[in-house]
């Protein structure tokens, strides 16, 4: 069997891939060595800008199968019948660290699902926590700056982390999650996923509901202590990536059961919490979990760069029957995510294999741009409307309209009866066992005690006191004990 011939990128055969062309034996290299210059130039450009957040990621392909009838709440086609399967790609990630960071760190995890539906791709972009640190997108760049490496020291600084949280009392709920037992998942397979935001479902009759997504791991929740994580991160920085890859290669396909909480749209205005506040949950006793289906991962990517690094998710990729809510953080992300990918990957990133629709065909009038690979035939028009049988609008809205009233301006979110920044953090603390509370206190004190300014420490302690008196007292005592050592 003859070997395939190595060629340059233009297809010319390569005579020697071991030695560069030179001016005589041992002489300087020649500018005319096209193969050498092409290889070096491509090597310099192999990496694209990493994601500002969620840079460190892993992913896999799989499917979603409907197990329960939800057609009374949404007319989304991929949820239209029990037993229906939809192919998908799921990307896991850490949030704050860079592409070269370790997997086993105390950090939220991204849980982003791209459903390749027959009505187009539906992207559900969430985390492994049901809440987040902030409720308004205008604070997001500042929050991430506080969590990233300091521009002077080049490392994550407790002063920056805790100073931002000191000035952001709404973060108390998520801080309690992050510093608790589930703050470091043992693997991507052993954690839950959440849509986190509130979304809108619309049924065939046009009736609107607000929903929250919960993906419950069927492997069971397993987490690491701070000491276990530090040891694992040192021994195997790629621990979560390796675990996911090897499990699927062995045929041990991880799965999650999707449940939703469903709120009739009319309930939202009078609910005791603002249902569109990303720092709040809806207690299950108010809106119980309703099972929808099962998500299974069964195939690893062939190329991590092409299929994981270049995977682009945007929460504004909706399908008929699903739409946004007035959740401020979601509204900001409808722009920010897609724009991040246009910067990182280019305006034609949706044409890449991992991002392109698979169960349907994209038809639009987008043209040209960097790396365009969608040339149109002679005479095909690039404007709409036209008289040449080009694709046309349907006139059917994807979801129900949202009611608006009042004046434009920079408004704070409307207050509901239980809308303080500390009540739910206290509820979470009181749900924990005594052992869980002790570990939570130790995790918080370990970081907060490293802060150099007393006023920043005191502001944070006030948040924990407001959440629960015992919570605040124990954190305060632990911080003072560590600072006296």
């Amino acid at each position: 069997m003859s070997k395939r011939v190595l060629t340059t990128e233009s297809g010319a055969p390569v005579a020697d891939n071991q030695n560069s062309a030179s001016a005589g034996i041992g002489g300087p290299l020649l500018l005319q060595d096209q193969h050498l210059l092409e290889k070096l130039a491509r090597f310099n450009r192999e990496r694209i800008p990493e994601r500002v957040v969620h840079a460190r990621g892993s992913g896999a392909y799989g499917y979603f199968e409907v197990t329960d009838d939800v057609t009374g709440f949404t007319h989304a086609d991929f949820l239209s019948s029990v037993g229906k399967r939809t192919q998908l790609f799921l990307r896991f990630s850490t949030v704050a660290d860079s592409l070269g960071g370790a997997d086993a760190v105390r950090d939220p995890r991204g849980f982003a699902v791209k459903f390749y539906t027959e009505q187009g791709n539906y992207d559900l972009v969430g985390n492994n926590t049901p809440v987040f640190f902030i409720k308004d997108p205008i604070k997001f760049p500042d929050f991430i700056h506080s969590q990233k490496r300091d521009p002077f020291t080049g490392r994550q600084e407790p002063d920056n982390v805790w100073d931002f949280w000191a000035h952001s009392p709404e973060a108390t709920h998520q801080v309690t999650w992050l510093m608790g037992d589930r703050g470091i998942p043992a693997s991507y397979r052993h954690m839950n996923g959440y849509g986190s935001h509130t979304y809108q479902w619309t049924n065939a009759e046009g009736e609107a509901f607000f929903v929250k997504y919960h993906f419950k791991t069927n492997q069971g929740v397993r987490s690491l202590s701070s000491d276990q994580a530090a040891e694992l991160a040192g021994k195997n920085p790629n621990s979560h990536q390796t675990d996911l890859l090897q499990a699927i290669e062995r045929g041990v396909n991880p799965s999650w059961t999707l449940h939703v909480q469903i709120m009739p749209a009319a309930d939202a205005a009078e609910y005791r919490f603002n249902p569109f506040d990303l720092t709040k949950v809806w207690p299950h006793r108010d809106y119980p979990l309703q099972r929808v289906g099962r998500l299974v991962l069964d195939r690893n990517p062939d190329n991590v760069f092409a299929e994981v690094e270049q995977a682009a998710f945007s929460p504004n990729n909706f399908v008929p029957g699903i739409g946004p809510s007035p959740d401020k953080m979601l509204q900001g992300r409808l722009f920010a995510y897609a724009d991040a990918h246009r910067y990182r990957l280019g305006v034609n990133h949706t044409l890449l294999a991992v991002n392109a629709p698979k169960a349907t065909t994209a038809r639009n009038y987008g043209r040209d741009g960097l790396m365009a690979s969608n040339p149109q035939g002679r005479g095909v028009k690039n404007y709409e409307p036209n008289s040449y049988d080009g694709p046309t609008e349907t006139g059917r809205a994807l979801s129900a309209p949202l009611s608006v009233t009042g004046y434009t301006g920079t408004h704070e979110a409307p207050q509901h009866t239980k809308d303080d920044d500390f009540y739910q953090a206290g509820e979470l603390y009181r749900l924990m066992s005594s052992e869980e509370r002790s570990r939570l206190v130790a995790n918080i004190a370990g970081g907060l005690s490293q802060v150099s300014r007393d006023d920043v420490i005191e502001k944070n302690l006030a948040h924990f006191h407001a959440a629960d008196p015992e919570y605040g007292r124990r954190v305060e005592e632990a911080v003072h004990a560590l600072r006296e050592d």
Side-chain angles (χ1 to χ4, degrees), residues 222-244:
R222 286 178 48 202
S223 303
L224 302 172
S225 68
S226 296
D227 290 342
Q228 290 172 326
E231 181 179 358
L232 181 59
K235 288 182 175 179
N236 181 11
N238 304 303
S239 57
H240 290 30
Q241 161 69 16
T242 301
D243 175 85
L244 181 67

PDB file of all heavy atoms in Angstrom, residues 222-244:
ATOM      1  N   ARG A 222     -20.924  14.107  43.602  1.00  0.00           N
ATOM      2  CA  ARG A 222     -19.696  13.852  44.359  1.00  0.00           C
ATOM      3  C   ARG A 222     -18.816  15.090  44.268  1.00  0.00           C
ATOM      4  O   ARG A 222     -18.687  15.690  43.196  1.00  0.00           O
ATOM      5  CB  ARG A 222     -18.938  12.646  43.806  1.00  0.00           C
ATOM      6  CG  ARG A 222     -19.567  11.307  44.122  1.00  0.00           C
ATOM      7  CD  ARG A 222     -18.766  10.177  43.479  1.00  0.00           C
ATOM      8  NE  ARG A 222     -17.330  10.320  43.737  1.00  0.00           N
ATOM      9  CZ  ARG A 222     -16.377   9.768  42.984  1.00  0.00           C
ATOM     10  NH1 ARG A 222     -16.701   9.068  41.912  1.00  0.00           N
ATOM     11  NH2 ARG A 222     -15.107   9.934  43.291  1.00  0.00           N
ATOM     12  N   SER A 223     -18.224  15.451  45.380  1.00  0.00           N
ATOM     13  CA  SER A 223     -17.406  16.662  45.427  1.00  0.00           C
ATOM     14  C   SER A 223     -16.100  16.386  46.144  1.00  0.00           C
ATOM     15  O   SER A 223     -15.918  15.337  46.781  1.00  0.00           O
ATOM     16  CB  SER A 223     -18.177  17.794  46.130  1.00  0.00           C
ATOM     17  OG  SER A 223     -19.417  18.039  45.487  1.00  0.00           O
ATOM     18  N   LEU A 224     -15.185  17.348  46.051  1.00  0.00           N
ATOM     19  CA  LEU A 224     -13.878  17.243  46.687  1.00  0.00           C
ATOM     20  C   LEU A 224     -13.755  18.271  47.799  1.00  0.00           C
ATOM     21  O   LEU A 224     -14.294  19.381  47.700  1.00  0.00           O
ATOM     22  CB  LEU A 224     -12.765  17.493  45.657  1.00  0.00           C
ATOM     23  CG  LEU A 224     -12.722  16.582  44.431  1.00  0.00           C
ATOM     24  CD1 LEU A 224     -11.685  17.098  43.441  1.00  0.00           C
ATOM     25  CD2 LEU A 224     -12.422  15.148  44.826  1.00  0.00           C
ATOM     26  N   SER A 225     -13.022  17.909  48.847  1.00  0.00           N
ATOM     27  CA  SER A 225     -12.663  18.903  49.853  1.00  0.00           C
ATOM     28  C   SER A 225     -11.545  19.772  49.294  1.00  0.00           C
ATOM     29  O   SER A 225     -10.926  19.452  48.275  1.00  0.00           O
ATOM     30  CB  SER A 225     -12.191  18.210  51.134  1.00  0.00           C
ATOM     31  OG  SER A 225     -10.942  17.551  50.904  1.00  0.00           O
ATOM     32  N   SER A 226     -11.262  20.879  49.960  1.00  0.00           N
ATOM     33  CA  SER A 226     -10.191  21.764  49.500  1.00  0.00           C
ATOM     34  C   SER A 226      -8.855  21.042  49.463  1.00  0.00           C
ATOM     35  O   SER A 226      -8.068  21.203  48.515  1.00  0.00           O
ATOM     36  CB  SER A 226     -10.109  22.992  50.418  1.00  0.00           C
ATOM     37  OG  SER A 226     -11.285  23.765  50.332  1.00  0.00           O
ATOM     38  N   ASP A 227      -8.582  20.217  50.468  1.00  0.00           N
ATOM     39  CA  ASP A 227      -7.307  19.485  50.504  1.00  0.00           C
ATOM     40  C   ASP A 227      -7.231  18.445  49.397  1.00  0.00           C
ATOM     41  O   ASP A 227      -6.195  18.291  48.737  1.00  0.00           O
ATOM     42  CB  ASP A 227      -7.130  18.816  51.871  1.00  0.00           C
ATOM     43  CG  ASP A 227      -6.878  19.815  52.991  1.00  0.00           C
ATOM     44  OD1 ASP A 227      -6.509  20.977  52.673  1.00  0.00           O
ATOM     45  OD2 ASP A 227      -7.066  19.448  54.164  1.00  0.00           O
ATOM     46  N   GLN A 228      -8.330  17.716  49.182  1.00  0.00           N
ATOM     47  CA  GLN A 228      -8.348  16.724  48.106  1.00  0.00           C
ATOM     48  C   GLN A 228      -8.144  17.391  46.748  1.00  0.00           C
ATOM     49  O   GLN A 228      -7.405  16.889  45.887  1.00  0.00           O
ATOM     50  CB  GLN A 228      -9.680  15.967  48.108  1.00  0.00           C
ATOM     51  CG  GLN A 228      -9.872  15.023  49.273  1.00  0.00           C
ATOM     52  CD  GLN A 228     -11.286  14.470  49.318  1.00  0.00           C
ATOM     53  OE1 GLN A 228     -12.262  15.157  48.967  1.00  0.00           O
ATOM     54  NE2 GLN A 228     -11.416  13.211  49.751  1.00  0.00           N
ATOM     55  N   ALA A 229      -8.792  18.533  46.546  1.00  0.00           N
ATOM     56  CA  ALA A 229      -8.691  19.230  45.270  1.00  0.00           C
ATOM     57  C   ALA A 229      -7.279  19.754  45.031  1.00  0.00           C
ATOM     58  O   ALA A 229      -6.755  19.663  43.914  1.00  0.00           O
ATOM     59  CB  ALA A 229      -9.692  20.386  45.231  1.00  0.00           C
ATOM     60  N   ALA A 230      -6.652  20.300  46.074  1.00  0.00           N
ATOM     61  CA  ALA A 230      -5.288  20.822  45.928  1.00  0.00           C
ATOM     62  C   ALA A 230      -4.324  19.707  45.534  1.00  0.00           C
ATOM     63  O   ALA A 230      -3.458  19.886  44.661  1.00  0.00           O
ATOM     64  CB  ALA A 230      -4.841  21.485  47.222  1.00  0.00           C
ATOM     65  N   GLU A 231      -4.490  18.542  46.139  1.00  0.00           N
ATOM     66  CA  GLU A 231      -3.626  17.408  45.801  1.00  0.00           C
ATOM     67  C   GLU A 231      -3.875  16.929  44.373  1.00  0.00           C
ATOM     68  O   GLU A 231      -2.937  16.683  43.608  1.00  0.00           O
ATOM     69  CB  GLU A 231      -3.877  16.265  46.784  1.00  0.00           C
ATOM     70  CG  GLU A 231      -2.990  15.046  46.528  1.00  0.00           C
ATOM     71  CD  GLU A 231      -3.222  13.920  47.527  1.00  0.00           C
ATOM     72  OE1 GLU A 231      -4.056  14.102  48.444  1.00  0.00           O
ATOM     73  OE2 GLU A 231      -2.578  12.870  47.389  1.00  0.00           O
ATOM     74  N   LEU A 232      -5.150  16.825  43.999  1.00  0.00           N
ATOM     75  CA  LEU A 232      -5.480  16.344  42.659  1.00  0.00           C
ATOM     76  C   LEU A 232      -5.031  17.333  41.594  1.00  0.00           C
ATOM     77  O   LEU A 232      -4.497  16.938  40.550  1.00  0.00           O
ATOM     78  CB  LEU A 232      -6.985  16.101  42.548  1.00  0.00           C
ATOM     79  CG  LEU A 232      -7.502  15.578  41.205  1.00  0.00           C
ATOM     80  CD1 LEU A 232      -6.841  14.249  40.851  1.00  0.00           C
ATOM     81  CD2 LEU A 232      -9.024  15.419  41.240  1.00  0.00           C
ATOM     82  N   ALA A 233      -5.241  18.626  41.828  1.00  0.00           N
ATOM     83  CA  ALA A 233      -4.835  19.637  40.848  1.00  0.00           C
ATOM     84  C   ALA A 233      -3.333  19.611  40.616  1.00  0.00           C
ATOM     85  O   ALA A 233      -2.864  19.852  39.498  1.00  0.00           O
ATOM     86  CB  ALA A 233      -5.275  21.025  41.307  1.00  0.00           C
ATOM     87  N   GLY A 234      -2.567  19.294  41.674  1.00  0.00           N
ATOM     88  CA  GLY A 234      -1.118  19.208  41.518  1.00  0.00           C
ATOM     89  C   GLY A 234      -0.682  17.958  40.788  1.00  0.00           C
ATOM     90  O   GLY A 234       0.241  17.989  39.972  1.00  0.00           O
ATOM     91  N   LYS A 235      -1.367  16.862  41.058  1.00  0.00           N
ATOM     92  CA  LYS A 235      -0.991  15.583  40.425  1.00  0.00           C
ATOM     93  C   LYS A 235      -1.501  15.477  38.991  1.00  0.00           C
ATOM     94  O   LYS A 235      -0.818  14.950  38.112  1.00  0.00           O
ATOM     95  CB  LYS A 235      -1.546  14.413  41.244  1.00  0.00           C
ATOM     96  CG  LYS A 235      -0.836  14.178  42.569  1.00  0.00           C
ATOM     97  CD  LYS A 235      -1.441  12.970  43.273  1.00  0.00           C
ATOM     98  CE  LYS A 235      -0.688  12.627  44.553  1.00  0.00           C
ATOM     99  NZ  LYS A 235      -1.291  11.470  45.263  1.00  0.00           N
ATOM    100  N   ASN A 236      -2.719  15.951  38.760  1.00  0.00           N
ATOM    101  CA  ASN A 236      -3.340  15.804  37.443  1.00  0.00           C
ATOM    102  C   ASN A 236      -4.210  17.018  37.149  1.00  0.00           C
ATOM    103  O   ASN A 236      -5.416  17.001  37.408  1.00  0.00           O
ATOM    104  CB  ASN A 236      -4.176  14.519  37.380  1.00  0.00           C
ATOM    105  CG  ASN A 236      -4.820  14.319  36.018  1.00  0.00           C
ATOM    106  OD1 ASN A 236      -4.500  15.015  35.054  1.00  0.00           O
ATOM    107  ND2 ASN A 236      -5.742  13.373  35.939  1.00  0.00           N
ATOM    108  N   PRO A 237      -3.625  18.079  36.598  1.00  0.00           N
ATOM    109  CA  PRO A 237      -4.416  19.278  36.297  1.00  0.00           C
ATOM    110  C   PRO A 237      -5.568  19.006  35.331  1.00  0.00           C
ATOM    111  O   PRO A 237      -6.532  19.762  35.292  1.00  0.00           O
ATOM    112  CB  PRO A 237      -3.388  20.233  35.668  1.00  0.00           C
ATOM    113  CG  PRO A 237      -2.064  19.728  36.124  1.00  0.00           C
ATOM    114  CD  PRO A 237      -2.199  18.251  36.255  1.00  0.00           C
ATOM    115  N   ASN A 238      -5.466  17.933  34.568  1.00  0.00           N
ATOM    116  CA  ASN A 238      -6.494  17.603  33.584  1.00  0.00           C
ATOM    117  C   ASN A 238      -7.481  16.563  34.111  1.00  0.00           C
ATOM    118  O   ASN A 238      -8.071  15.802  33.330  1.00  0.00           O
ATOM    119  CB  ASN A 238      -5.833  17.062  32.309  1.00  0.00           C
ATOM    120  CG  ASN A 238      -4.816  18.019  31.744  1.00  0.00           C
ATOM    121  OD1 ASN A 238      -5.125  19.160  31.455  1.00  0.00           O
ATOM    122  ND2 ASN A 238      -3.577  17.563  31.602  1.00  0.00           N
ATOM    123  N   SER A 239      -7.695  16.517  35.393  1.00  0.00           N
ATOM    124  CA  SER A 239      -8.460  15.432  36.009  1.00  0.00           C
ATOM    125  C   SER A 239      -9.874  15.307  35.461  1.00  0.00           C
ATOM    126  O   SER A 239     -10.340  14.191  35.159  1.00  0.00           O
ATOM    127  CB  SER A 239      -8.515  15.633  37.527  1.00  0.00           C
ATOM    128  OG  SER A 239      -9.072  16.909  37.847  1.00  0.00           O
ATOM    129  N   HIS A 240     -10.590  16.403  35.320  1.00  0.00           N
ATOM    130  CA  HIS A 240     -11.982  16.327  34.879  1.00  0.00           C
ATOM    131  C   HIS A 240     -12.068  15.974  33.392  1.00  0.00           C
ATOM    132  O   HIS A 240     -12.949  15.210  32.980  1.00  0.00           O
ATOM    133  CB  HIS A 240     -12.698  17.650  35.150  1.00  0.00           C
ATOM    134  CG  HIS A 240     -12.940  17.916  36.606  1.00  0.00           C
ATOM    135  ND1 HIS A 240     -12.117  17.446  37.602  1.00  0.00           N
ATOM    136  CD2 HIS A 240     -13.915  18.613  37.248  1.00  0.00           C
ATOM    137  CE1 HIS A 240     -12.581  17.840  38.779  1.00  0.00           C
ATOM    138  NE2 HIS A 240     -13.673  18.536  38.587  1.00  0.00           N
ATOM    139  N   GLN A 241     -11.165  16.549  32.602  1.00  0.00           N
ATOM    140  CA  GLN A 241     -11.108  16.216  31.179  1.00  0.00           C
ATOM    141  C   GLN A 241     -10.819  14.726  30.989  1.00  0.00           C
ATOM    142  O   GLN A 241     -11.482  14.041  30.205  1.00  0.00           O
ATOM    143  CB  GLN A 241     -10.027  17.063  30.495  1.00  0.00           C
ATOM    144  CG  GLN A 241      -9.523  16.549  29.155  1.00  0.00           C
ATOM    145  CD  GLN A 241     -10.551  16.643  28.038  1.00  0.00           C
ATOM    146  OE1 GLN A 241     -11.541  17.344  28.177  1.00  0.00           O
ATOM    147  NE2 GLN A 241     -10.321  15.933  26.946  1.00  0.00           N
ATOM    148  N   THR A 242      -9.834  14.227  31.729  1.00  0.00           N
ATOM    149  CA  THR A 242      -9.450  12.816  31.605  1.00  0.00           C
ATOM    150  C   THR A 242     -10.587  11.896  32.035  1.00  0.00           C
ATOM    151  O   THR A 242     -10.879  10.892  31.375  1.00  0.00           O
ATOM    152  CB  THR A 242      -8.196  12.529  32.452  1.00  0.00           C
ATOM    153  OG1 THR A 242      -7.137  13.373  31.999  1.00  0.00           O
ATOM    154  CG2 THR A 242      -7.769  11.079  32.338  1.00  0.00           C
ATOM    155  N   ASP A 243     -11.251  12.242  33.125  1.00  0.00           N
ATOM    156  CA  ASP A 243     -12.353  11.421  33.630  1.00  0.00           C
ATOM    157  C   ASP A 243     -13.477  11.327  32.604  1.00  0.00           C
ATOM    158  O   ASP A 243     -14.004  10.238  32.334  1.00  0.00           O
ATOM    159  CB  ASP A 243     -12.882  12.009  34.941  1.00  0.00           C
ATOM    160  CG  ASP A 243     -14.099  11.265  35.453  1.00  0.00           C
ATOM    161  OD1 ASP A 243     -13.921  10.253  36.139  1.00  0.00           O
ATOM    162  OD2 ASP A 243     -15.234  11.705  35.151  1.00  0.00           O
ATOM    163  N   LEU A 244     -13.862  12.459  32.019  1.00  0.00           N
ATOM    164  CA  LEU A 244     -14.947  12.463  31.040  1.00  0.00           C
ATOM    165  C   LEU A 244     -14.557  11.665  29.803  1.00  0.00           C
ATOM    166  O   LEU A 244     -15.331  10.824  29.313  1.00  0.00           O
ATOM    167  CB  LEU A 244     -15.295  13.903  30.659  1.00  0.00           C
ATOM    168  CG  LEU A 244     -16.428  14.075  29.651  1.00  0.00           C
ATOM    169  CD1 LEU A 244     -17.756  13.631  30.245  1.00  0.00           C
ATOM    170  CD2 LEU A 244     -16.514  15.533  29.191  1.00  0.00           C
TER     171      LEU A 244
END
